[in-house]
Amino acid sequence: MDGDGTQDARGTQAGPVPRPAGPPDMPAAPPMPAAPPRRDGSAFLSWLRAPRPEAAPGVWRFGHRPRAAEEPEEVPARQLLGGALIAFLVGWLLWSLLQNGYLGGWWILPLELLVPDSWLGSDSRIGNALLYNGYTLLVALAIMVGVGRLGRWGDVWRRFVAPRLRRGEPDRPAPAPEDDPAAWPQLRAAGAVDAAERLAAEARGGLMRDVDHARIARAWQGVRTGRFPLSTFTAAVLQDGSAACPHPSGERDLPARHARHDLVTGQVRLGTTADDPRNPYSYRGAGLGLGPDLLGTSLVAVGPAGSGKTGSLVRPLTESLCLHALAGRAAVVVVGAAGAGLGPADAFDVVVRVGNADSVYDLDLYGGTTDPDEAAAILAEALVGDLDDVRRATTVLARLLGPFRAVHGRFPGVPELRRLLDGDLGPIAELRQALRESGQESLLRELDARERQLGQPGDPGGALADRIALLDRPAFAGFFDTSGLSRPFSLKALDHPVRVRVDLPERGHADASRMLARLVLAQFTASVTVREDRSLFACLVLDDATGVVTPEAVRGIQRLRSSNAGVVLTLRTLDDVPRPLRGPLLGATGCRMALSGLTPWDGQDFAEVWGKEWTEARDVTDRQIIAETPAGKAVHMLRRVITGKAPTARAVTVRQVERERWSASELAHGVPPGHAVLSLTTVKGEHAPPLLVELRN
């Protein structure tokens, strides 16, 4: 196929596929719209200057307040407040007794022992007043400190008063220029003072957005790595300000946002970690944020229909990755059923509507490659990857694709490939004659080998013909064209910050949709591992991965982490994955999510991969107390009449036991609606244990 994706356009308009954001020496972008009206930039500056402390994997860092690693022993609120009140009353009583002289004059004795007699016998009323009032104040403070420590007033302050005062804290003063991210200190340090002043002025004037800040920071990273000269970057910023180094689409934001994003850390907020004893104390109540550092290890989410996979996970992640693409940081491909709610069409550069006659774009069946062997491997994985004869199918396709391309200069379309695979010798004879006429007799041995294989036991040609026939339908008549009449898109374009959505025709073509999903996954794993620029994060989001997971797909997912790429797979149940591949799939993905409504047998697979941990088990035993004296028996009888229970003595045994982090039963029945259990791994190897999170908050 002639199109390799680099000449394709965005959305439903003509134009180039987006390239990385860079200075003006890059290809010209569409003209920017008129600048928005000038407004106050205080909201943007507050967002940019907000604290983002380092945190554990998955913690939403924007405005995060770190907590202790271990849960402190917390006194119940009623007991704490009661103790504080009683201590206050005791202190008040003691002070009243001292003031009224009920305790005698012994409390003056330390003053008489430490102060010279000349001071005590002074005739100055002012001096005596200051001396005795000061000593009285000192005693009062000592009583207050004593009863405060006794009544735990500090704990009362930290638990009930301080959190309410924090809500009314005044705005923090503006930081110094060398510490202010809005002043662009990194540009100033490199000598680009004028560019930094221009950007700072636009930030104060409300002309800069979070995507602009992230995009210019990405372009500056290119300057630091030597991809772009400093002079070109500075000229672009001085000319266009916050609109410099634009995305080739010319867009600076998405049409609408449905989730909270922080492009400084690259995170999107998905919910809140539940305040549950099964979660580590440092995570409880913290926001849950995912970014490329976690998606780079890939994510698999399992939950039944209606559990929130699309709305609570896929849609926010897709939106976040599209924002990263506008900032020149990422390339994203989203695959799902038509009408699945993956985002509006104008939020993407390329929308491929397979089976829709109004689609501007076609899908390249061969992944944009010109190598027959590579094309055969990708197509065989898509057609029969869920079967056991992928290697032989690759050989059969290679023996046909090579000669066909040598004669026609292109790969066969779907009808032509079906005729070659059907077992009819007529098309092969025509291809043989064309090879002779073009002087390429060396390729005749490929056709000879294919003819010898026809009709033999184990010939995968029949299975290939049956699968390719699923695409040789009237609904797909205008698709997968190789003659150059359509506008094919291939995943070779993932070298650029492109946003792609592929709509599959699941209604009436479920088998074909699964086959096309395997095709996109195979092309993705083959393309991203050979990219020249791996600083661009590439991510494939499959809204429904039913029938997509194959042995080769699992091996491809394992290779993505080193290529700065990842995949997001959602499944209704692990039964949609062959039994031998369930463990390897969960092992190949660093992030695993079990949503509410999981079946116990699915929960068992998650429980096994999450393993066990040592925990403290407390065994409580109540032993009845036997009274031996008449008085004791009378007391026990009275106690039984009052409480209704026999007197017992409680014995507590504490021991260390190894238990599953989350059992299959807990995953199936203990996860509330709208919640999920999620474990995380970063590309650097940091781990987060399985966390109970609320996706609706």
Side-chain angles (χ1 to χ4, degrees), residues 465-687:
D466 291 341
R467 291 296 178 89
I468 201 67
L470 296 174
L471 302 180
D472 192 17
R473 309 298 301 167
F476 307 124
F479 285 85
F480 318 116
D481 178 68
T482 60
S483 62
L485 299 179
S486 65
R487 304 181 63 185
F489 175 82
S490 75
L491 273 70
K492 293 288 186 181
L494 294 182
D495 278 333
H496 318 299
V498 63
R499 302 167 294 166
V500 183
R501 194 186 79 190
V502 180
D503 293 344
L504 300 179
E506 286 196 351
R507 185 174 181 180
H509 301 279
D511 292 336
S513 295
R514 296 190 188 101
M515 196 163 58
L516 292 174
R518 287 197 299 270
L519 175 66
V520 175
L521 178 57
Q523 292 186 6
F524 179 83
T525 55
S527 299
V528 297
T529 54
V530 296
R531 292 183 303 164
E532 296 181 1
D533 181 15
R534 295 191 178 183
S535 64
L536 194 71
F537 178 69
C539 188
L540 170 65
V541 182
L542 283 170
D543 187 44
D544 184 4
T546 301
V548 174
V549 180
T550 65
E552 183 58 35
V554 173
R555 286 189 288 267
I557 292 173
Q558 292 172 338
R559 296 191 297 264
L560 294 179
R561 186 182 304 190
S562 61
S563 303
N564 193 23
V567 297
V568 177
L569 309 175
T570 67
L571 294 163
R572 294 186 180 91
T573 172
L574 286 176
D575 287 339
D576 294 332
V577 178
R579 166 54 68 181
L581 295 178
R582 296 178 193 176
L585 173 65
L586 295 176
T589 53
C591 304
R592 312 170 190 100
M593 176 181 285
L595 290 95
S596 61
L598 209 68
T599 60
W601 41 93
D602 283 347
Q604 184 61 44
D605 291 317
F606 279 99
E608 290 178 0
V609 75
W610 282 332
K612 300 180 180 180
E613 64 178 347
W614 289 99
T615 185
E616 188 178 85
R618 301 169 65 90
D619 296 331
V620 180
T621 304
D622 288 334
R623 179 179 57 85
Q624 184 176 354
I625 302 175
I626 305 299
E628 298 180 354
T629 63
K633 292 180 179 180
V635 171
H636 285 190
M637 183 178 296
L638 179 61
R639 183 174 176 180
R640 178 178 294 179
V641 170
I642 295 174
T643 64
K645 298 180 180 179
T648 58
R650 174 168 294 182
V652 180
T653 303
V654 180
R655 55 193 176 91
Q656 294 289 325
V657 297
E658 191 177 22
R659 290 180 178 173
E660 292 178 325
R661 298 177 184 270
W662 280 83
S663 68
S665 178
E666 289 175 327
L667 290 171
H669 308 293
V671 180
H675 289 65
V677 180
L678 171 66
S679 65
L680 302 168
T681 304
T682 69
V683 292
K684 296 181 179 179
E686 300 176 274
H687 294 270

Side-chain angles (χ1 to χ4, degrees), residues 128-142:
N128 290 334
L130 290 176
L131 181 63
Y132 282 97
N133 289 340
Y135 179 72
T136 302
L137 179 60
L138 183 62
V139 172
L141 290 176

Side-chain angles (χ1 to χ4, degrees), residues 8-16 30 249 251 346 349-350 360-361 487:
D8 300 334
R10 66 170 296 276
T12 58
Q13 304 173 0
S249 67
E251 298 178 4
D346 51 359
D349 302 302
V350 174
V360 176
Y361 290 94
R487 304 181 63 185

Side-chain angles (χ1 to χ4, degrees), residues 76-407:
R78 179 179 298 180
Q79 180 179 344
L80 182 63
L81 294 175
L85 178 60
I86 292 174
F88 172 76
L89 295 177
V90 170
W92 189 8
L93 176 62
L94 179 60
W95 177 250
S96 299
L97 294 176
L98 291 177
Q99 287 292 96
N100 295 322
Y102 291 110
L103 299 180
W106 61 267
W107 65 286
I108 302 292
L109 183 60
L111 180 64
E112 296 175 348
L113 294 176
L114 297 175
V115 176
D117 294 338
S118 60
W119 291 16
L120 296 175
S122 175
D123 295 334
S124 174
R125 293 184 179 180
I126 297 177
N128 290 334
L130 290 176
L131 181 63
Y132 282 97
N133 289 340
Y135 179 72
T136 302
L137 179 60
L138 183 62
V139 172
L141 290 176
I143 294 175
M144 183 178 297
V145 170
V147 300
R149 292 176 63 88
L150 182 65
R152 300 181 179 180
W153 290 1
D155 292 346
V156 174
W157 174 271
R158 286 187 292 270
R159 191 187 302 185
F160 300 104
V161 182
R164 289 167 174 78
L165 294 179
R166 288 197 197 104
R167 300 173 185 171
E169 287 180 353
D171 295 336
R172 294 182 299 273
E178 61 272 12
D179 300 325
D180 186 5
W184 296 88
Q186 65 273 33
L187 272 65
R188 299 177 187 274
V193 179
D194 294 341
E197 290 291 346
R198 174 70 187 273
L199 295 175
E202 297 217 350
R204 292 192 299 270
L207 299 178
M208 183 175 289
R209 315 168 191 178
D210 56 351
V211 178
D212 298 331
H213 182 275
R215 188 185 65 253
I216 295 173
R218 165 72 177 177
W220 174 250
Q221 183 183 2
V223 174
R224 292 182 58 189
T225 57
R227 295 173 57 202
F228 311 122
L230 176 61
S231 58
T232 307
F233 171 83
T234 303
V237 172
L238 291 179
Q239 178 181 351
D240 299 322
S242 58
C245 312
H247 187 268
S249 67
E251 298 178 4
R252 296 168 60 183
D253 204 347
L254 296 179
R257 299 190 187 186
H258 299 275
R260 292 183 59 189
H261 303 273
D262 182 25
L263 292 182
V264 173
T265 60
Q267 292 180 310
V268 54
R269 178 161 180 153
L270 298 183
T272 304
T273 307
D275 189 5
D276 188 273
R278 290 170 291 193
N279 288 337
Y281 181 72
S282 59
Y283 276 94
R284 296 178 194 172
L288 173 67
L290 267 62
D293 59 328
L294 292 167
L295 297 181
T297 63
S298 299
L299 183 149
V300 60
V302 182
S307 58
K309 298 188 298 298
T310 300
S312 301
L313 178 66
V314 173
R315 179 70 182 271
L317 289 180
T318 300
E319 192 173 273
S320 175
L321 292 167
C322 287
L323 290 174
H324 281 289
L326 290 178
R329 294 175 174 177
V332 56
V333 180
V334 187
V335 182
L342 302 178
D346 51 359
F348 297 89
D349 302 302
V350 174
V351 179
V352 181
R353 298 182 173 94
V354 181
N356 189 330
D358 296 331
S359 178
V360 176
Y361 290 94
D362 194 358
L363 186 63
D364 193 333
L365 198 63
Y366 301 97
T369 184
T370 58
D371 181 7
D373 293 328
E374 181 182 354
I378 293 175
L379 190 57
E381 170 66 15
L383 296 178
V384 293
D386 54 337
L387 304 178
D388 297 331
D389 52 357
V390 179
R391 183 173 301 177
R392 288 181 296 176
T394 301
T395 303
V396 169
L397 288 173
R399 288 171 176 170
L400 296 175
L401 297 182
F404 191 96
R405 180 172 179 81
V407 171

